[in-house]
């Protein structure tokens, strides 16, 4: 019983952080710079409407992080 209570207490802080409300995910297209789900939105389009990367500058891209 005590171990169960300690486990529940330990999990509470982790569940409070990093959660994105369903309403925000449903409106993911309104903030294209933030991919709130793995595939960008509920439809899994994996498409970004951002225009910073073009056919002209794509060759200059470099890895920023892994």
């Amino acid at each position: 019983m005590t171990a169960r209570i300690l486990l529940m207490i330990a999990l509470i802080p982790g569940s409070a952080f990093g959660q994105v409300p369903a309403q925000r995910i449903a409106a993911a297209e309104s903030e294209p710079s933030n991919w709130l789900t793995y595939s960008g939105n509920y439809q899994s389009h994996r498409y970004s409407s951002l225009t910073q990367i073009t056919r002209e500058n794509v060759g200059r891209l470099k890895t920023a992080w892994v």
Side-chain angles (χ1 to χ4, degrees), residues 14 18-19 22 30-31 36 39-40 44-45 47 57 60 62 64 66:
Q19 301 296 318
S30 67
E31 48 181 306
L36 305 174
S39 297
S44 297
H45 288 160
Y47 171 79
N57 67 15
R60 298 191 308 263
K62 295 186 173 149
V66 176

Side-chain angles (χ1 to χ4, degrees), residues 16-41:
F17 298 104
Q19 301 296 318
V20 179
Q23 296 86 358
R24 190 171 170 206
I25 295 173
E29 289 82 17
S30 67
E31 48 181 306
S33 60
N34 295 316
W35 277 39
L36 305 174
T37 63
Y38 177 76
S39 297
N41 58 25

Side-chain angles (χ1 to χ4, degrees), residues 1 6 16 18 23 38 48 50 56-57 59 62:
M1 181 75 163
L6 290 175
Q23 296 86 358
Y38 177 76
S48 172
L50 299 178
E56 291 76 29
N57 67 15
K62 295 186 173 149

Side-chain angles (χ1 to χ4, degrees), residues 1-16:
M1 181 75 163
T2 304
R4 189 178 198 178
I5 293 172
L6 290 175
L7 178 62
M8 289 172 53
I9 292 171
L11 292 176
I12 290 172
S15 65

